[in-house]
Amino acid sequence: MKFEVIHEENNAIVDALVDGVRQFNAGLLGPEKSVPLTVIARDENGKLIGGVGGRTIYKNFLINVVWVDDQTRGTGLGHKLMALAEAEAKQRGCQVAQVDTLSIQAPMFYEKQGFEIIGTVTTTPQRIFLMKKY
């Protein structure tokens, strides 16, 4: 057996690891594809000003990233992006959405969207895990 520590991005290895997990899950839950789900907003000049990115699988919407440009923050854009992404997730049959954030980022934003805190990691800053049932 040989071990390696890799200090750079290696998509081929990460993809192989993910494929291994998918094969294991398929044996227990049946086959299902992880499908990307991204909703973005652009300004009148085409500049990206916000978005929600994640995946849907096994009736779960797994949110990886939510971002709104500094100049647009506080205008309701984040709420609209989340609503559109969640509507699509529900169309795909999702029954739950999951996200994690840092205490310095947006836990209150997610709570305003109906997410509940289900766990924290007490580091500095805290890492907060949230879930929303549909």
Side-chain angles (χ1 to χ4, degrees), residues 60-61 86 95-100 110-111 113-119 128-134:
N60 284 264
F61 178 25
E86 289 188 79
Q95 298 175 348
V96 67
Q98 302 171 47
V99 66
D100 68 270
Y110 295 111
E111 289 179 295
Q113 310 311 309
F115 283 75
E116 295 180 27
I117 295 174
I118 59 169
I128 301 169
F129 297 85
L130 300 104
M131 183 176 75
K132 181 178 181 179
K133 293 180 183 177
Y134 299 133

Side-chain angles (χ1 to χ4, degrees), residues 1-128:
M1 184 178 313
K2 181 181 172 189
F3 295 94
E4 292 178 57
V5 176
I6 301 169
H7 296 279
E8 67 241 359
E9 290 284 331
N10 189 320
N11 291 336
I13 289 176
V14 172
D15 289 347
L17 297 171
V18 170
D19 285 343
V21 170
R22 286 184 183 148
Q23 288 175 18
F24 176 81
N25 289 348
L28 297 173
L29 301 170
E32 184 162 335
K33 288 218 179 245
S34 174
V35 180
L37 172 52
T38 304
V39 176
I40 64 167
R42 295 183 186 275
D43 69 11
E44 59 278 351
N45 298 315
K47 178 187 169 200
L48 182 66
I49 57 172
V52 175
R55 307 187 77 70
T56 58
I57 188 167
Y58 294 117
K59 300 181 182 179
N60 284 264
F61 178 25
L62 308 174
I63 301 167
N64 295 330
V65 63
V66 177
W67 172 77
V68 174
D69 169 272
D70 285 342
Q71 288 76 32
T72 315
R73 216 165 274 155
T75 66
L77 178 61
H79 173 75
K80 180 68 173 170
L81 289 164
M82 286 292 293
L84 291 168
E86 289 188 79
E88 177 61 26
K90 290 176 191 176
Q91 284 285 99
R92 296 182 184 187
C94 289
Q95 298 175 348
V96 67
Q98 302 171 47
V99 66
D100 68 270
T101 189
L102 298 176
S103 58
I104 61 167
Q105 292 175 323
M108 291 186 342
F109 167 78
Y110 295 111
E111 289 179 295
K112 287 179 185 175
Q113 310 311 309
F115 283 75
E116 295 180 27
I117 295 174
I118 59 169
T120 59
V121 177
T122 54
T123 54
T124 303
Q126 283 188 330
R127 188 167 180 194
I128 301 169

